[in-house]
Amino acid sequence: MFRDKMAATATMMPNIGQNISLKGGLVPDWTNQEVSTGTTIMAVEYDGGVVIGADSRTTTGAYIANRVTDKLTPIHDRIFCCRSGSAADTQAIADVVTYQLGFHSIELDEPPLVETAANLFKASCYRYREELTAGILVAGWDRRKGGQVYCVPIGGMLVRQPGGGGGLSREQCLELTAAGMRCCCTLCLWPWRETAPAAAEEPFFFFFFFYKINFIEEK
Amino acid sequence: LVLSAVLSLPVNAALQGVFGGGETPKPLKTGTTIAGVVFKDGVVLGADTRATSSEVVADKMCAKIHYIAPNIYCCGAGTAADTERTTDLLSSNLSIFSLNSGRNPRVVMAVNILQDMLYRYHGQIGANLILGGVDCTGNHLYKLGPYGSVDKMPYLAMGSGDLAALGILEDGFKPDMELEKAKQLVQVAIHAGIMSDLASGNNIDICVITREGVDYIRPYQESEFKDNRKMRYKYRPGTTPVLTEKVIPLKLEVVKETVQWMDTA
């Protein structure tokens, strides 16, 4: 039921199938693997802004490279992006778009539109779609359309996904995001279980799984 | 620069002929334990000193903590050549920047330059780096992956022995530690890596960076298992007994003599 209500959620299952094997060089496999943010990210619009959330785990194969990653990256004062996919690719794209948007904003001498930022992401993600692994949510607030969430998944599509069924208040958005984070975090941790984890085990998952939630609004 | 990729590709048939059907030598990898910790007054970096080429220890006293700038040092794991050259290149670029602008480089600048370069090569440069330094904005520690990803954390470990080292760091790290405690923590972490990983070993190097300056202690702790090599193989006269001696003087006559004055002023 939560899946229907969740707005613009991008989840990527972590690549747990890899084994740590030693190939002739006394160096384990995952030291050569690309760092991936197998991730849960979420963004919900409300009247005066947006609420964004993300978990904090970065993996290389079965190894957690960073357990306190910040996947919510500021692109401009009131525009953020939620990054999922390859850590290197998304960091590089975010840097490029930050520069382009900053330049554009200085040229216009006014804060940029969220739609502009989303289009810049789409331009990079679509042009280099063969080489990139990046799923990005662009969320922010501007004066023209208020809070907006745009989804740029792998392949470079661009679509606005307000979600939340419309008409949610600030507090309801926060609750929805927090619940979504908890829900997806526990699901991602044990993807092969048929049954939901027992209530007694939940606090255990909480302890090892961190997530971060941000507000973006006018003031 | 791309030696690591070149040698692992099966396309390199030319090299295979040279070794008569045997295995081509693997590139030198620093199967490594490196670690870094941010403490109250700065940053402590630590590394082991073993460099391996497959199962052979190629260098027992390898230096894995590289100089980048007077206030920035970098530990490197992965392919030895790649880490060496990448850090050298970075160091040169930062010197030029310092001379041009008259400022000391910031750690974040070094990180950005490295990230750009590593991302451009899409993982072909096998460099896993821990960059630590002190600048006007504070004490910083960053980790860089070969594909160009960057993470900023108060304590880090990388290399093949990083799981063992990270266990020690996760348990013992506290924010704003004192210098001696920080050095000890890093030393114990590297030691754990050396004990638990075949590709890490020999001595431990420590580098302490603070606002006042850098203390590069090499080695900080020597391995108990040292071999007793003389290192000098000069034999004194008389070691080999002389059985017989026969002297034949050669008659030489002076044919021509020239003297050339050299001006050594």
Side-chain angles (χ1 to χ4, degrees), chain A:
Chain A
M1 201 192 339
F2 253 112
R3 291 225 181 263
D4 299 332
K5 280 198 179 164
M6 250 182 286
T9 314
T11 57
M12 286 180 68
M13 289 304 184
N15 196 7
I16 303 190
Q18 301 277 351
N19 286 323
I20 296 178
S21 66
L22 300 180
K23 280 192 223 178
L26 288 176
V27 174
D29 243 349
W30 42 257
T31 51
N32 301 324
Q33 296 225 355
E34 190 163 354
V35 169
S36 170
T37 52
T39 294
T40 303
I41 49 176
M42 189 168 164
V44 190
E45 283 179 24
Y46 66 93
D47 208 4
V50 291
V51 178
I52 53 177
D55 74 304
S56 69
R57 176 173 289 185
T58 316
T59 52
T60 38
Y63 173 62
I64 298 177
N66 189 354
R67 61 181 173 86
V68 287
T69 330
D70 187 1
K71 303 182 189 178
L72 306 175
T73 311
I75 301 293
H76 205 261
D77 295 340
R78 296 273 188 277
I79 307 176
F80 270 65
C81 76
C82 313
R83 300 181 291 109
S84 78
S86 155
D89 287 345
T90 53
Q91 281 172 8
I93 297 171
D95 283 345
V96 162
V97 173
T98 306
Y99 165 77
Q100 290 172 334
L101 199 65
F103 189 85
H104 169 77
S105 169
I106 288 174
E107 274 188 323
L108 258 51
D109 197 24
E110 66 177 46
L113 300 176
V114 186
E115 194 173 347
T116 313
N119 275 92
L120 287 172
F121 271 107
K122 180 206 59 182
S124 292
C125 290
Y126 183 70
R127 174 171 288 224
Y128 299 104
R129 55 185 302 173
E130 308 292 325
E131 290 95 39
L132 294 175
T133 312
I136 294 175
L137 291 178
V138 186
W141 181 93
D142 62 45
R143 274 180 43 147
R144 204 182 283 186
K145 295 186 188 170
Q148 297 146 75
V149 173
Y150 294 88
C151 186
V152 183
I154 296 177
M157 177 185 87
L158 170 62
V159 69
R160 180 169 176 193
Q161 273 195 296
L168 284 183
S169 76
R170 191 176 184 274
E171 285 65 35
Q172 283 173 322
C173 274
L174 177 59
E175 265 176 52
L176 178 62
T177 310
M181 286 293 108
R182 278 197 291 272
C183 180
C184 270
C185 289
T186 48
L187 285 177
C188 274
L189 204 50
W190 300 98
W192 57 83
R193 279 166 79 117
E194 283 101 33
T195 57
E201 287 175 278
E202 268 199 359
F204 178 80
F205 294 159
F206 264 6
F207 182 72
F208 284 108
F209 219 96
F210 305 109
Y211 54 83
K212 185 184 179 216
I213 295 182
N214 256 3
F215 282 96
I216 310 169
E217 38 199 13
E218 181 173 0
K219 44 174 166 43

Side-chain angles (χ1 to χ4, degrees), chain B residues 76-95:
Chain B
T79 310
D82 289 343
T83 57
E84 191 76 34
R85 295 304 267 151
T86 306
T87 48
D88 271 353
L89 198 60
L90 175 67
S91 178
S92 309
N93 282 339
L94 286 182
S95 312

Side-chain angles (χ1 to χ4, degrees), chain B residues 7 21 31 33 48 51 55 63 83 95 102 115 156 163 174 207 227 235:
Chain B
L7 280 184
T33 308
D48 72 306
E55 335 70 53
T83 57
S95 312
Q115 181 179 36
L156 288 170
L163 286 176
K174 286 177 184 33
C207 181
D227 42 23
Y235 298 95

Side-chain angles (χ1 to χ4, degrees), chain B residues 49-226:
Chain B
T49 60
R50 175 178 289 184
T52 53
S53 182
S54 297
E55 335 70 53
V56 177
V57 175
D59 191 351
K60 291 191 277 283
M61 197 54 178
C62 171
K64 300 185 189 179
I65 306 183
H66 309 281
Y67 167 86
I68 303 287
N71 56 327
I72 306 173
Y73 276 71
C74 178
C75 303
T79 310
D82 289 343
T83 57
E84 191 76 34
R85 295 304 267 151
T86 306
T87 48
D88 271 353
L89 198 60
L90 175 67
S91 178
S92 309
N93 282 339
L94 286 182
S95 312
I96 294 175
F97 163 78
S98 282
L99 291 166
N100 261 336
S101 63
R103 294 173 134 185
N104 263 340
R106 297 194 188 179
V107 187
V108 71
M109 180 178 181
V111 170
N112 282 333
I113 295 175
L114 277 175
Q115 181 179 36
D116 276 346
M117 182 186 167
L118 292 173
Y119 185 71
R120 221 178 331 134
Y121 283 93
H122 292 293
Q124 299 293 317
I125 299 181
N128 296 275
L129 304 167
I130 292 185
L131 206 90
V134 175
D135 58 30
C136 55
T137 52
N139 317 321
H140 305 286
L141 191 66
Y142 289 88
K143 122 170 135 164
L144 289 106
Y147 285 86
S149 57
V150 172
D151 288 307
K152 184 179 196 313
M153 284 168 7
Y155 58 92
L156 288 170
M158 286 193 100
S160 52
D162 69 344
L163 286 176
L166 213 46
I168 302 289
L169 290 174
E170 289 276 10
D171 186 45
F173 176 81
K174 286 177 184 33
D176 292 328
M177 278 189 295
E178 294 297 328
L179 172 62
E180 283 313 312
K181 288 216 142 154
K183 271 161 62 173
Q184 240 221 325
L185 180 65
V186 171
Q187 183 235 317
V188 175
I190 304 289
H191 188 71
I194 288 173
M195 286 291 127
S196 314
D197 178 37
L198 291 177
S200 306
N202 299 98
N203 310 328
I204 300 177
D205 290 345
I206 293 265
C207 181
V208 180
I209 311 171
T210 54
R211 292 193 74 106
E212 282 78 52
V214 172
D215 191 14
Y216 192 173
I217 312 165
R218 177 174 153 81
Y220 181 72
Q221 184 191 62
E222 286 195 319
S223 149
E224 310 93 67
F225 308 101
K226 283 199 320 181

